[in-house]
């Protein structure tokens, strides 16, 4: 089939690469978000998907809005059979949805109808789900509500961060998206409507969502920290400044009151509503990430001080 692929960040790259390397389909163009500033130097850079397309000499379209007339006209000229999508990052108007013969097919990192929205992996970890996965579905006007072509499942490990889980789903999801394109090409695949039961939503995670409350149970704090690692990164306040937290370990022993820090020779603990947590890597204001024990050795922590 003739395809126009839409995607932007790193998790979309395995899917584009799988389509390019399959030899079964022709990717005639890529749609991605406009080049943006990144890094300390604020240098304007291409998105990861756009960079891969450049390497393969594929036309890259970067409309400010997917409804721009010039973009719609070029998409119509390309006349794709289908438009596979992975984390494109912009809403698609009906005028764009109507152009490809077989529609726009999204790879979404959840088992729909669970966790529709921008942050399904983060939501699954935070909720304590044991199983998640990825789904391919035809995009319709309602958010992530279109009929599903296929799914792949993935167990959520006890120590998985959102970054680790998303990395695995990006790889298994790439294979799913390729098989979906194959099935659409030969007419063997039929989409099934999503059930009305079990719908849940996963809105974009904000920096404020990543603030840790040590008044919560230890298991909830652990899941929250892992769900926002590495991005946007968990944090609390220490001495009135933002203090970043990497993944922690829940300990099965008595601990200090919620938020209180206890420094021992080989570990640093913080209390929660239930069990204590052993801190892993931390980042104090103006410092690099480091082991909590190294941070504690260089910081005079008074008895009773807390992360808030």
């Amino acid at each position: 089939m003739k395809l126009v692929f839409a995607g932007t960040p790193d998790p979309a790259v395995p899917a584009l690469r799988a389509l390019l390397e399959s030899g079964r389909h022709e990717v005639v163009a890529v749609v991605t978000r406009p080049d943006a500033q990144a890094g300390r130097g604020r240098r304007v850079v291409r998105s990861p998907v756009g960079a891969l397309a450049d390497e393969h000499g594929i036309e890259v379209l970067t409309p400010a809005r997917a409804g721009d007339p010039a973009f719609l006209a070029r998409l119509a000229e390309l006349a794709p059979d289908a438009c596979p999508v992975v984390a494109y990052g912009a809403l698609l108007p009906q005028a764009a949805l109507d152009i490809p013969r077989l529609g726009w097919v999204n790879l979404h990192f959840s088992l729909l109808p669970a966790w529709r929205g921008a942050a399904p992996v983060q939501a699954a970890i935070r909720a304590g789900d044991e199983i998640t996965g990825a789904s391919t579905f035809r995009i319709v006007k309602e958010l992530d509500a279109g009929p599903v072509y296929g799914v792949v499942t993935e167990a959520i490990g006890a120590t998985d961060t959102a970054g680790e889980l998303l990395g695995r789903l990006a790889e298994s999801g790439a294979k799913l998206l390729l098989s979906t394109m194959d099935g659409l090409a030969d007419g063997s695949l039929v989409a099934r409507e999503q059930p009305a039961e079990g719908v849940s939503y996963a809105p974009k995670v904000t920096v404020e969502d990543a603030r840790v409350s040590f008044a919560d149970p230890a298991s909830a704090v652990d899941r929250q920290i892992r769900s926002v690692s590495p991005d946007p990164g968990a944090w609390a306040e220490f001495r009135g400044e933002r203090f970043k937290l990497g993944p922690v370990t829940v300990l099965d022993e008595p601990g200090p009151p919620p938020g209180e820090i206890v420094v021992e020779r080989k570990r640093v603990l913080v209390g929660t509503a239930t069990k204590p947590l052993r801190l892993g890597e931390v980042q104090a204001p103006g410092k690099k990430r480091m082991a909590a024990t190294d941070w504690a050795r260089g910081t005079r922590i008074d008895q009773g001080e807390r992360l808030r």
Side-chain angles (χ1 to χ4, degrees):
M1 287 195 303
K2 186 192 294 186
L3 305 177
V4 171
F5 181 90
T8 298
D10 283 317
V13 168
L16 175 57
R17 183 176 290 116
L19 292 169
L20 292 172
E21 295 177 352
S22 73
R24 304 169 212 162
H25 308 285
E26 180 188 8
V27 180
V28 296
V30 157
V31 185
T32 192
R33 299 293 294 152
D35 298 352
Q37 293 181 332
R40 291 187 177 181
R42 308 307 294 163
R43 184 168 55 92
V44 176
V45 297
R46 186 75 104 181
S47 74
V49 164
L52 180 59
D54 288 339
E55 290 176 17
H56 287 263
I58 296 170
E59 180 179 355
V60 177
L61 307 175
T62 57
R65 296 181 304 106
D68 288 350
F71 166 69
L72 294 175
R74 181 56 184 149
L75 188 63
E77 288 175 0
L78 291 167
D81 295 301
C83 293
V85 186
V86 186
Y88 170 47
L91 294 175
L92 297 166
Q94 192 63 47
L97 296 179
D98 290 340
I99 290 175
R101 177 173 61 89
L102 296 172
W104 294 66
V105 180
N106 193 34
L107 171 64
H108 183 76
F109 298 117
S110 81
L111 298 176
L112 292 170
W115 304 129
R116 296 174 179 175
V121 172
Q122 295 91 328
I125 291 176
R126 190 163 184 167
D129 294 353
E130 295 181 353
I131 299 291
T132 187
S135 308
T136 50
F137 70 96
R138 188 172 71 243
I139 294 179
V140 297
K141 187 174 182 180
E142 186 181 350
L143 178 66
D144 297 338
V148 173
Y149 289 108
V151 300
V152 62
T153 59
E154 181 76 34
I156 301 178
T159 62
D160 272 342
T161 65
E164 292 165 344
L165 180 56
L166 183 55
R168 298 202 304 274
L169 288 171
E171 295 294 338
S172 60
K175 298 175 183 176
L176 172 64
L177 185 62
L178 176 57
S179 68
T180 299
M181 292 298 106
D182 292 345
L184 288 175
D186 64 22
S188 64
L189 200 57
V190 177
R192 297 180 180 275
E193 295 295 334
Q194 295 184 34
E197 302 79 25
V199 176
S200 54
Y201 292 93
K204 182 178 179 180
V205 176
T206 67
V207 171
E208 192 57 37
D209 293 331
R211 182 171 187 170
V212 175
S213 170
F214 293 98
D216 293 336
S219 58
V221 176
D222 167 51
R223 293 196 305 268
Q224 180 192 8
I225 292 173
R226 290 188 289 113
S227 75
V228 295
S229 297
D231 185 52
W235 63 279
E237 282 192 358
F238 179 67
R239 296 177 179 172
E241 294 187 286
R242 186 174 296 181
F243 184 83
K244 296 183 179 180
L245 300 159
V248 297
T249 302
V250 179
L251 302 177
D252 190 14
E253 60 187 68
E260 185 171 314
I261 303 167
V262 174
V263 179
E264 300 178 351
R265 192 168 70 88
K266 293 186 177 181
R267 61 183 192 171
V268 179
L269 309 184
V270 61
T272 71
T274 54
K275 300 174 182 179
L277 304 172
R278 185 177 72 223
L279 298 183
E281 285 193 333
V282 301
Q283 186 175 5
K287 302 289 185 180
K288 295 181 179 180
R289 292 180 69 89
M290 65 182 74
T293 49
D294 293 337
W295 164 74
R297 275 195 292 269
T299 306
R300 187 181 295 276
I301 300 173
D302 297 329
Q303 184 175 356
E305 280 199 282
R306 298 190 180 199
L307 292 173
R308 301 181 184 276

